[in-house]
């Protein structure tokens, strides 16, 4: 899995700071999601993002094939 928050922000002309202000998530979480695609949002944060922007979770995360182990 990887997060696509930075792609979402770029596509909508938003900054990590604006994401944090719009959603009320912790600043550390917002900046980490915007900068580190391996950092996955918790279910609660994912729900907040989807509710605020009225989009599906797939806007913020995606499954990528990778080796386990």
């Amino acid at each position: 899995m990887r997060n696509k928050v930075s792609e979402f922000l770029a596509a909508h002309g938003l900054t990590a700071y604006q994401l944090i202000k719009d959603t009320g998530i912790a600043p550390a979480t917002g900046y980490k999601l915007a900068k580190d695609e391996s950092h996955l949002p918790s279910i609660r944060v994912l729900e907040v993002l989807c509710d605020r922007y009225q989009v599906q979770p797939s806007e913020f995360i995606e499954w990528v094939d990778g080796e386990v182990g």
Side-chain angles (χ1 to χ4, degrees):
M1 299 280 288
R2 76 172 187 94
N3 91 51
K4 305 187 322 180
V5 172
S6 63
E7 294 171 27
F8 179 85
L9 295 176
H12 293 87
L14 298 170
T15 63
Y17 178 78
Q18 188 62 50
L19 174 92
I20 292 162
K21 290 298 181 189
D22 287 350
T23 61
I25 63 174
T29 299
Y31 286 116
K32 189 172 255 190
L33 287 171
K35 297 197 179 299
D36 181 3
E37 71 178 28
S38 68
H39 183 76
L40 297 175
S42 68
I43 294 298
R44 185 195 72 74
V45 168
L46 187 58
E47 200 169 14
V48 167
L49 294 170
C50 292
D51 285 345
R52 171 56 182 91
Y53 296 112
Q54 296 293 291
V55 296
Q56 294 295 317
S58 60
E59 291 288 321
F60 301 108
I61 58 172
E62 74 176 345
W63 177 81
V64 290
D65 193 13
E67 291 184 32
V68 176

